[in-house]
Amino acid sequence: MAMPGKTNSLTDVSGIRVGQAEDVPAKTGTTVILPDERAVCAVDVRGGGPGTRETDALAAHTLVDAVDAVVLSGGSSYGLAAADGVAAALGARGRGFALLDLPGVPKSPVVPSAILYDLANEGDKAWGEDPPYRRLGRDALDAVGDTVALGRAGAGFGAMAGAHPGGTGTASLVTEAGFTIGALVCVNSFGSVTLPGAGDVYWAWPHEIDGEFGGARPPAGWSMAPQDWGAAKYNPGARENTTIAVVATDAALTPAQAQRLAIMAQDGFARAIRPVHTPFDGDVVFALSTAARALPENAELALAELGAAAADTLARAIARGVHTARQQARD
């Protein structure tokens, strides 16, 4: 029977660690996903206003077939500098891609990144010419470990999920075939994560395991109007909303297979947020493979099962993150 891993987090995938750092006065933060070894990575971008770095290099036909880290950050375009800090630190450790291994020629760390918009959350953004994100990237890298904080943490520290507090969520699943799928997400969506007129019931409720985000269920006879968006944001601005995520697996995937995993995992957004992939969002999902376990002979069917599990796991992570952030806001 498929069940969550030991910590119900992205780090249940062997070879994956996570670091988080926050600037509390600025109400922003950064998250670093660090594989122990360079990992196959792909990306799927669905939102109308994305902010990314090095995602073109992840296409299956390009030269680079693995990454050294993935960075998620608040700060809108300023937040892309977090990956600079991570790349510099990893390069100093000798990690990265080397077309030619020559003395005196440093390796080039491949650190794709995506950002969310948290500039208007009333934090102190008077940073002048020295935004905190390069430092936050280094701090998050220094903090990598097996524990992932939920809610107001890392890149999701200053986020809003529709009208609710947003935040960082994570979840995992060990499939019946023995593969592990993990998801980490920072939810700053235009759309709502809860059903309209149903209290604390999350759109992801059919996928909940063991009451991991409150256990609320729709009341008997619940229904909704076709265009009732419930607790979505009002007066959204272009590029001011984004849900960014990483899914990872221990299954050995090619770049093309990882691309399919990222595409299928995006369905987790649609299962947990309404509406999603709007012109106001910059929704991005990265997919990582640590290649610890080979796919079976029927690789296509196994990949389909992994993609479906990734979507469900990502939906659960979204609800877990917002549920924790709402509880923190009430305390």
Side-chain angles (χ1 to χ4, degrees):
M1 182 177 180
M3 290 295 293
K6 182 179 179 181
T7 67
N8 199 15
S9 77
L10 184 71
T11 59
D12 286 331
V13 178
S14 60
I16 295 289
R17 293 179 292 157
V18 172
Q20 297 162 291
E22 301 84 31
D23 185 317
V24 176
K27 293 186 179 181
T28 193
T30 295
T31 298
V32 172
I33 297 88
L34 183 72
D36 291 343
E37 305 291 339
R38 303 190 76 233
V40 167
C41 183
V43 67
D44 187 61
V45 180
R46 297 283 178 93
T52 59
R53 162 191 160 127
E54 287 200 295
T55 50
D56 286 351
L58 302 182
H61 62 270
T62 60
L63 177 66
V64 173
D65 60 0
V67 303
D68 297 282
V70 176
V71 176
L72 308 179
S73 186
S76 189
S77 58
Y78 297 101
L80 293 173
D84 293 342
V86 174
L90 291 178
R93 300 177 189 180
R95 292 189 59 163
F97 172 78
L99 186 61
L100 296 173
D101 192 4
L102 297 174
V105 179
K107 293 182 178 179
S108 300
V110 182
V111 185
S113 176
I115 48 87
L116 58 80
Y117 182 95
D118 58 7
L119 298 182
N121 63 4
E122 299 180 356
D124 182 5
K125 307 299 194 300
W127 49 54
E129 296 184 7
D130 189 25
Y133 295 101
R134 184 180 173 92
R135 169 181 56 81
L136 285 170
R138 293 196 304 268
D139 290 348
L141 180 64
D142 289 342
V144 294
D146 296 330
T147 300
V148 181
L150 293 167
R152 314 299 269 179
F157 184 83
M160 289 290 294
H164 296 304
T168 296
T170 191
S172 70
L173 189 76
V174 181
T175 71
E176 293 180 359
F179 295 105
T180 300
I181 284 282
L184 184 149
V185 61
C186 300
V187 190
N188 191 56
S189 56
F190 162 58
S192 175
V193 298
T194 55
L195 278 64
D200 293 334
V201 182
Y202 293 90
W203 283 111
W205 72 265
H207 309 288
E208 187 174 18
I209 299 175
D210 293 336
E212 61 192 336
F213 41 87
R217 297 292 181 265
W222 176 85
S223 64
M224 55 171 285
Q227 290 189 296
D228 187 352
W229 291 350
K233 290 176 182 172
Y234 292 95
N235 299 320
R239 299 178 64 88
E240 293 185 4
N241 314 275
T242 291
T243 302
I244 48 180
V246 173
V247 297
T249 180
D250 55 0
L253 303 180
T254 66
Q257 289 169 333
Q259 179 70 53
R260 180 54 51 187
L261 184 69
I263 290 169
M264 293 185 70
Q266 279 272 11
D267 289 344
F269 284 4
R271 293 170 191 175
I273 302 168
R274 184 175 185 272
V276 72
H277 304 147
T278 74
F280 313 111
D281 291 286
D283 302 328
V284 176
V285 174
F286 294 97
L288 286 169
S289 164
T290 61
R293 293 170 53 89
L295 289 178
E297 183 175 347
N298 192 343
E300 290 79 10
L301 178 58
L303 181 59
E305 293 172 346
L306 285 171
D312 291 347
T313 304
L314 183 51
R316 291 168 44 223
I318 290 168
R320 289 190 77 208
V322 177
H323 183 69
T324 301
R326 294 176 71 192
Q327 290 179 317
Q328 292 167 339
R330 291 165 179 162
D331 293 341

